[in-house]
Amino acid sequence: MENMTLEQVASPLTEVSEKPSILYIDDEEDNLVVFKSAFRRHYNVHTAKSGEEGLEILKSLDASLVITDQRMPRMTGVQFLKNLPDEKDMIRMILTGYSDMESVIDAINTGQVYRYIAKPWDKEELKITLDNAIEAFQLRRKNKQLIHELQEANEVLEQKVEERTQQVNLQKEEIEKLLLNILPVEVANELKEKGAATPHYYESATVLFTDFIGFTKIAEGLSPNELVSELNACFLVFDSIIEKNNLEKIKTIGDSYMCAGGIPVPNKTHAVDAILAAIEIQDYMRRFNDEREAKGLVRWDLRIGIHTGPLVAGVVGSKKFAYDIWGDTVNIASRIESCGERGRVNISETTFEAVKEWFGCLYRGKVLAKNKGEVDMYFVETKLS
């Protein structure tokens, strides 16, 4: 032993550790000795004299195969196998004589026993049976491991799918938010459902234009960043005001802001809504300019023009969608704004007729409008109680 190398000492241990473990249970000591002697070279053979002792051993032994005698005191072989915990997946075999065959066959049919061994057993035949049983056990374990790995892989895949689905949903929400930033919700829904939005004709709608007076001169005194920042601050407030008053923003063109009422969903209050928004915008600009003057900064005076009439509204473009309005009503509203005065809300006669019961207005007479001739115009003075 002293002359053996470490490798020579270790290899038998390794070989033993690789042998499959078998638990053999029999209440007769001689049978245990014979079985262990016959098969210890091939398997790690563990023995027990009773079913109770076998159950205790299996608490710490991961056996490939358990073989039990059927006739034992206190607990038969079939009873022992019934008492095995569900998590124990070893192959189960039973030794039996002819007189016990009926109960053993029943155990086989119910899946409790892999195979029975008739007494007396032949060593060579039993060796083949044991090898087949252990191979079945190894295949069972391998399948179980593969199923476990597959379940884990499926869980990982499901998690990834769930994460990706969440990402797609978030992206979809962002896209929808962006879409709603440029299109009315009704038009956006139609576009998503049908792939196109149908232009609509409106018998009566109200168009509102704003424009900063002397904007070119204002721009000369500011850096590009300052100019855009100031303009954006104003337009953000305008956005909030028109949304509150049920108007739809159409677009901005330089320093000009355009919105409309009565679209895309027709209503009867669009002219009143537009004037309420216009008054609130001019009130905001007065406060805005008071603060600028207190700081010694140049004023941003605003004209507002409003006109009511028929128009067409719809989506233009196939890549960069834009909701827009067309018709002479739009052109007249632009001229009404151009003919207005700083800090005032200038309206056309058709708008006046629609709101005269709610607002006090000052008739300006016929005012010459570019390419439109003389047009009756009014300044909104007060809101009637």
Side-chain angles (χ1 to χ4, degrees), residues 2 13 18 57 87 136-137 142 195 202 252 254 270 284 286 319-320 322 337 356:
E2 294 178 354
L13 294 175
E18 292 176 351
I57 291 173
E87 66 271 12
F137 168 79
K142 188 174 182 180
Y202 296 86
T252 59
H270 51 81
Y284 164 75
R286 274 189 281 275
K319 293 184 179 179
K320 295 184 178 180
E337 177 273 309
K356 62 185 179 182

Side-chain angles (χ1 to χ4, degrees), residues 203-221:
E203 186 67 36
S204 180
T206 298
V207 180
L208 181 155
F209 272 95
T210 77
D211 188 55
F212 289 102
I213 300 171
F215 186 74
T216 302
K217 185 176 181 181
I218 294 172
E220 291 174 354

Side-chain angles (χ1 to χ4, degrees), residues 93-336:
M93 297 175 65
I94 195 163
L95 281 168
T96 182
Y98 180 78
S99 60
D100 299 314
M101 192 60 69
E102 185 177 345
S103 60
V104 172
I105 293 298
D106 181 60
I108 292 175
N109 291 336
T110 57
Q112 296 168 343
V113 177
Y114 169 75
R115 187 168 297 173
Y116 73 89
I117 304 167
K119 295 179 180 178
W121 48 265
D122 177 80
K123 178 180 177 182
E124 297 302 325
E125 290 181 0
L126 183 54
K127 172 68 167 54
I128 294 172
T129 302
L130 297 180
D131 287 342
N132 290 338
I134 289 170
E135 184 179 357
F137 168 79
Q138 291 170 343
L139 287 174
R140 180 188 293 179
R141 274 284 175 94
K142 188 174 182 180
N143 287 340
K144 186 176 181 181
Q145 178 62 28
L146 288 174
I147 291 171
H148 177 70
E149 291 174 359
L150 182 60
Q151 288 173 338
E152 287 186 337
N154 284 339
E155 289 175 2
V156 171
L157 182 59
E158 288 175 1
Q159 180 65 28
K160 288 183 178 180
V161 169
E162 184 178 349
E163 291 173 358
R164 182 57 184 156
T165 301
Q166 290 176 351
Q167 291 174 358
V168 170
N169 288 338
L170 288 174
Q171 290 173 353
K172 184 180 178 182
E173 289 177 7
E174 290 300 319
I175 290 171
E176 290 183 352
K177 287 179 183 177
L178 290 173
L179 195 61
L180 293 176
N181 279 338
I182 58 176
L183 299 176
V185 61
E186 295 81 7
V187 177
N189 289 337
E190 184 182 3
L191 196 61
K192 287 188 293 182
E193 292 172 5
K194 301 180 180 179
T198 307
H200 291 278
Y201 174 79
Y202 296 86
E203 186 67 36
S204 180
T206 298
V207 180
L208 181 155
F209 272 95
T210 77
D211 188 55
F212 289 102
I213 300 171
F215 186 74
T216 302
K217 185 176 181 181
I218 294 172
E220 291 174 354
L222 297 171
S223 69
N225 286 342
E226 290 173 331
L227 179 66
V228 172
S229 177
E230 293 282 4
L231 194 60
N232 184 60
C234 291
F235 284 170
L236 285 176
V237 175
F238 294 2
D239 287 346
S240 176
I241 291 172
I242 70 156
E243 183 179 5
K244 182 174 68 175
N245 287 282
N246 199 30
L247 303 180
E248 188 69 40
K249 181 180 181 179
I250 305 301
K251 57 186 172 183
T252 59
I253 309 168
D255 64 312
S256 179
Y257 188 98
M258 177 183 177
C259 62
I263 62 167
V265 180
N267 63 58
K268 295 181 179 180
T269 63
H270 51 81
V272 173
D273 295 337
I275 291 180
L276 288 173
I279 292 172
E280 190 171 348
I281 288 173
Q282 288 293 23
D283 287 343
Y284 164 75
M285 291 307 302
R286 274 189 281 275
R287 296 192 301 272
F288 177 80
N289 283 318
D290 287 345
E291 292 177 3
R292 290 186 65 82
E293 285 187 328
K295 297 176 183 178
L297 301 175
V298 66
R299 293 176 59 86
W300 286 43
D301 289 311
L302 189 73
R303 290 191 301 256
I304 296 181
I306 299 174
H307 177 57
T308 301
L311 54 77
V312 174
V315 175
V316 295
S318 60
K319 293 184 179 179
K320 295 184 178 180
F321 298 112
Y323 184 70
D324 211 343
I325 55 178
W326 302 272
D328 200 43
T329 296
V330 181
N331 299 327
I332 293 174
S334 178
R335 298 294 179 260
I336 298 293

